[in-house]
Amino acid sequence: MVKPIRRSIVTGLLAAPFVAAHARAQEFPDRPLRFIVGFPPGGPNDLLARLIAPGIGERLGRSIVVENKAGANGEIAASFTAKSAPDGGIFMLASNGSTTVAPALNRNMPYDVRTDFAAVAPVGINPMLLVTRPDLPARNVTELLALARAQPGKLNGASAGAGGATHLALELFKAMGKLDIVHVPYKGGGPAMADLMANLVDIYFGGLSTALPHARSGKMRALGQTSLARSAAAADIPTIAESGLPGYEAAISYGIFLPPGASKALVERLHAAVDATVRSPDILRKFVDLGADPQFGSPAEFAAYVADDFAKWARLAKEAGLKTE
C-alpha cells in the first residue's frame, strides 16, 4: 500500500549544493513560464496552483502564468504537457485522478505517467471523508464493516461519478473489507451528498473540505479519513486505516510534472523552488484552509510514489472489473 511521502531534513540539506551546481548548467527560459492546470478556475487544483505559483516564480526569478486547460478530468492538460518541449517553459500541477487513476482504468490513454512525464515534486494530499446518512446504525468504521458484512447487498454507496476518486475510494473499501455494497453513481458530488443527507443513500466518500462542514453540523456522520495520517483540518476524526482497515488509503494527491526529457538540472531546480515554497509558514497555514496536507519528497521519491499509486489502482481495477472507455 502506498505510504505518504516524507523526506528528512538531512536529505534537503544535502541536495542544496547539488541543485545549485546543476542549476547553472541549464536555466529556465527567459520568458513567462506556463503553469498548466487541468481544471477550471476555482477548483482544488486551480487554487493550489495559484497559491504556490508566486513563490515558485520568485525562487526561479521568472514570472509564472497559471493556464487552465480544463476538460476530460484533467486529461487534456496532461496530454498537452506530455507533448510539450522539455525546456522548462511549461510544467503542470496535476492530481492523481488524471495521472494514475484514469490511466489505470483505461489503458487507451494517450499518455503514461510512468514514462511521459518528468516527476518533479509532491505538493499535497487532500483526504476524503467516509460519511454516512445520520441515522445509519454505525458510529465508526468497525461498526460499519460489521453492518455491511451482516447485510450483504443491502447497503449502497454513492459516488460523484463512475471511475472518479469517490468511486475508487468506495471500491477500495469494498475490496479490502470484502464487502458487498451497491454502487450508486451520481452526476457530481453535490447531488450525491444531498441524497445522503436526505437518507436516500447510505455512505459516501466526499472531499474533506466539502463534506466536513456538513458532518460538523450533524447533517451527515463522519466515520473516517481516507489518508494514512490524520489531516490537520480534522485531527479529531480517525483514519480508516487506524480504525478497521489497516493500510487503507484513497486520498487525492497533487504534484508537479515537467514534460518528458526535461534535464535533471531543470527538474532539481524546479523541485527546490516548489519544496521551499510549500514549506513557507504562510503557505502551510493556507493548505489547512483548503483541506490539504503538504507533502515533501525528492524527484525520485515522488516518481516512485506515482508508480506505486498507478500499480495500486491498476490492481484494483483488474480485481474489481473496473474500466472506463
Side-chain angles (χ1 to χ4, degrees):
M1 195 60 58
V2 178
K3 297 180 180 179
I5 298 173
R6 295 290 184 266
R7 186 175 63 148
S8 69
I9 295 176
V10 173
T11 302
L13 291 174
L14 291 176
F18 176 84
V19 171
H22 281 259
R24 289 192 292 269
Q26 183 175 358
E27 196 43 275
F28 281 82
D30 189 15
R31 62 176 185 270
L33 308 181
R34 299 166 68 186
F35 193 6
I36 306 302
V37 177
F39 292 86
N45 292 63
D46 177 74
L47 292 174
L48 277 177
R50 294 181 188 278
L51 176 63
I52 64 177
I56 296 173
E58 179 181 352
R59 289 169 174 84
L60 293 179
R62 298 288 186 273
S63 61
I64 293 179
V65 178
V66 176
E67 186 173 326
N68 299 89
K69 286 189 174 295
N73 197 34
E75 294 162 22
I76 291 175
S79 295
F80 172 81
T81 302
K83 297 174 183 177
S84 296
D87 63 356
I90 289 174
F91 58 96
M92 171 182 71
L93 182 140
S95 70
N96 59 343
S98 58
T99 57
T100 61
V101 174
L105 269 63
N106 180 4
R107 296 305 181 92
N108 295 319
M109 296 288 287
Y111 57 86
D112 186 326
V113 69
R114 299 165 297 180
T115 58
D116 293 340
F117 301 94
V120 175
V123 171
I125 278 188
N126 190 342
M128 288 176 275
L129 277 184
L130 167 55
V131 288
T132 72
R133 56 184 171 87
D135 63 343
L136 191 74
R139 296 191 169 273
N140 53 54
V141 172
T142 301
E143 290 182 2
L144 177 61
L145 292 171
L147 180 65
R149 288 165 181 161
Q151 303 178 26
K154 297 296 183 180
L155 297 183
N156 55 53
S159 81
T166 59
H167 178 204
L168 271 291
L170 172 64
E171 293 297 338
L172 185 63
F173 187 72
K174 290 165 56 178
M176 292 184 65
K178 297 179 172 58
L179 309 173
D180 181 4
I181 297 175
V182 179
H183 172 224
V184 182
Y186 283 77
K187 293 182 179 180
M193 285 198 294
D195 274 8
L196 184 76
M197 290 185 283
N199 295 331
L200 298 178
V201 290
D202 299 313
I203 69 173
Y204 176 64
F205 288 83
L208 179 66
S209 59
T210 54
L212 186 59
H214 295 300
R216 296 294 194 211
S217 69
K219 295 178 181 178
M220 57 181 67
R221 183 181 298 142
L223 302 190
Q225 302 184 47
T226 64
S227 51
L228 287 177
R230 297 189 188 191
S231 170
D236 59 317
I237 300 175
T239 68
I240 295 172
E242 69 181 278
S243 52
L245 282 183
Y248 179 93
E249 183 190 23
I252 302 171
S253 61
Y254 303 90
I256 303 293
F257 299 86
L258 278 162
S263 70
K264 188 173 183 179
L266 286 178
V267 169
E268 292 288 353
R269 180 86 191 279
L270 182 55
H271 170 270
V274 173
D275 190 88
T277 298
V278 176
R279 289 182 187 275
S280 59
D282 59 326
I283 296 297
L284 291 175
R285 286 193 297 270
K286 292 174 181 177
F287 263 57
V288 176
D289 296 335
L290 294 176
D293 290 302
Q295 289 281 279
F296 308 103
S298 69
E301 289 170 331
F302 182 46
Y305 176 89
V306 169
D308 287 346
D309 200 50
F310 176 88
K312 176 176 74 174
W313 297 121
R315 183 168 57 251
L316 176 66
K318 181 178 180 180
E319 292 173 353
L322 305 174
K323 65 178 182 178
T324 60
E325 300 299 336

